[in-house]
Amino acid sequence: MPVSLDNLLVVGISSRALFDLEAEEAIFRNEGLEAYRRHQLDNENEILKLGAGFALVRALLKLNVLVHNQRFVEVVIMSRNSTETSMRIFNSIRHYDLDITRAVLSGGAPLAPYLHAFNVSLFLSLHEDDVQAAIDSGVAAARLYQKPDNALAELGQIRIAFDGDAVIFSDESERIYQTQGIEAFENHERENALKPLPEGPFARLLKALSYIQNNVKSADGRSAPIRTALVTARSSPAHERVIRTLRAWDVAIDETFFMGGVAKSDVLAAFKPHIFFDDQPGHCERAAPLVQTGIVPLKKPGQVNSQER
């Protein structure tokens, strides 16, 4: 019987997001493919330093040891490396004792076509084109900023923070705000307060995390191993629709911050997430020096999710 990934939280992460490959990226861009190939082969046994997504991946994989003989998370390395140049990546995975056994090595081809083949719930990369293609295909995805100085600090819980509109929820209300202004946005939210917001690209991920929260306890048997936060620019009266939507989804967010236009960075620094997801460059740029941040691109107009076909 084939192994099924259907009931797992599957994280696809590029090798450059898991490990620090910025020097190698510079060689590829400045000197070309053959110089990159030669460098990787010559340095095959040199262990790579930790990248922007490493702390989150290491923390998520720890969920698999909380319940005997049950896995909750699968991580798939998704790289444009060729098979020939990939050994350094696998050697580094083994060195850091990461429970990662699956990989996509596309030899320079786009990665997005393989996301659904591995049932990927979240895709993390430093390549903008791959992240945009993932979002356009209906997969939660973010382009990671370079890690802040404290990104690799050990935390007792997995902590993940989300923006609301265009991340957890669709960008329907955000578009009204951007095109018609705050008054039209607030009127729209009042009129639709009892109508759940449509799902955004990260709704499926949030629901998967909520399921794990409800079914797994930490080693001390008391606290949940995952803590989530919603950090949204919304404020009253636009709060009601958010609360009612989460109720309709049967999802409990541990901490919620209705910022009302106040900068999010100080709240995020206090919450200390492994990662924060937002669609607005301004919010991301202010947060990135303080917490690991991933920017979520908007889906391009006219793109159809594979689930919608």
Side-chain angles (χ1 to χ4, degrees):
M1 288 285 291
V3 174
S4 173
L5 302 178
D6 288 350
N7 295 318
L8 296 170
L9 171 58
V10 182
V11 178
I13 185 166
S14 72
S15 54
R16 189 175 158 217
L18 185 61
F19 298 117
D20 184 346
L21 284 160
E22 294 314 291
E24 288 73 15
E25 180 72 8
I27 291 171
F28 173 74
R29 291 188 180 279
N30 297 329
E31 302 178 40
L33 179 59
E34 180 54 31
Y36 171 83
R37 171 185 171 276
R38 191 166 56 250
H39 174 83
Q40 288 296 73
L41 293 177
D42 290 346
N43 293 275
E44 195 167 273
N45 294 316
E46 183 178 334
I47 300 304
L48 293 164
K49 295 179 180 178
L50 310 183
F54 185 92
L56 175 66
V57 164
R58 178 172 59 186
L60 286 172
L61 285 172
K62 289 180 180 179
L63 293 171
N64 290 333
V65 303
L66 295 181
V67 177
H68 177 66
N69 210 28
Q70 183 173 0
R71 295 181 70 82
F72 293 94
V73 175
E74 196 70 35
V75 175
V76 181
I77 285 288
M78 308 193 77
S79 172
R80 291 196 180 198
N81 273 268
S82 66
T83 306
E84 181 186 26
T85 59
S86 66
M87 278 303 299
R88 192 178 182 195
I89 298 167
F90 289 112
N91 289 341
S92 298
I93 289 171
R94 183 171 63 250
H95 172 81
Y96 293 113
D97 196 26
L98 297 177
D99 181 16
I100 300 174
T101 60
R102 293 179 172 85
V104 174
L105 305 170
S106 72
L111 296 170
Y114 305 105
L115 295 171
H116 290 289
F118 283 87
N119 197 38
V120 169
S121 309
L122 172 66
F123 176 64
L124 302 173
S125 175
L126 273 69
H127 287 284
E128 186 172 355
D129 290 349
D130 283 335
V131 171
Q132 183 68 63
I135 286 287
D136 291 343
S137 70
V139 175
R143 177 175 59 83
L144 299 187
Y145 285 71
Q146 292 298 334
K147 64 180 184 293
D149 292 339
N150 63 351
L152 302 175
E154 287 285 353
L155 298 172
Q157 285 180 315
I158 301 165
R159 292 184 164 230
I160 301 178
F162 302 89
D163 178 34
D165 294 296
V167 178
I168 294 176
F169 314 119
S170 81
D171 65 345
E172 172 191 277
S173 297
E174 177 73 14
R175 288 198 305 269
I176 293 173
Y177 173 74
Q178 295 292 342
T179 58
Q180 301 177 43
I182 183 65
E183 186 175 347
F185 166 78
E186 290 182 349
N187 288 337
H188 178 267
E189 294 308 288
R190 282 194 196 95
E191 293 168 2
N192 292 276
L194 300 182
K195 180 181 178 182
L197 285 154
E199 292 186 0
F202 279 69
R204 177 187 171 199
L205 173 63
L206 179 64
K207 291 177 181 181
L209 293 173
S210 180
Y211 172 83
I212 295 173
Q213 284 178 302
N214 292 331
N215 287 274
V216 182
K217 293 293 183 182
S218 63
D220 63 16
R222 296 190 298 272
S223 59
I226 302 173
R227 192 164 185 85
T228 55
L230 171 62
V231 187
T232 173
R234 284 175 177 248
S235 60
S236 177
H239 67 290
E240 181 178 354
R241 195 176 183 197
V242 168
I243 294 170
R244 292 186 180 279
T245 298
L246 294 173
R247 284 181 185 174
W249 292 356
D250 195 24
V251 167
I253 294 273
D254 295 297
E255 301 187 31
T256 302
F257 305 93
F258 293 105
M259 303 300 296
V262 174
K264 301 178 180 183
S265 50
D266 288 344
V267 162
L268 290 165
F271 180 67
K272 297 179 180 178
H274 283 87
I275 196 164
F276 166 57
F277 297 109
D278 200 304
D279 68 301
Q280 296 293 321
H283 293 314
C284 291
E285 288 160 11
R286 284 187 288 270
L290 303 173
V291 301
Q292 183 60 62
T293 300
I295 187 166
V296 180
L298 294 178
K299 184 179 177 183
K300 289 182 178 178
Q303 297 296 317
V304 179
N305 293 354
S306 63
Q307 295 98 323
E308 296 171 351
R309 293 191 181 110

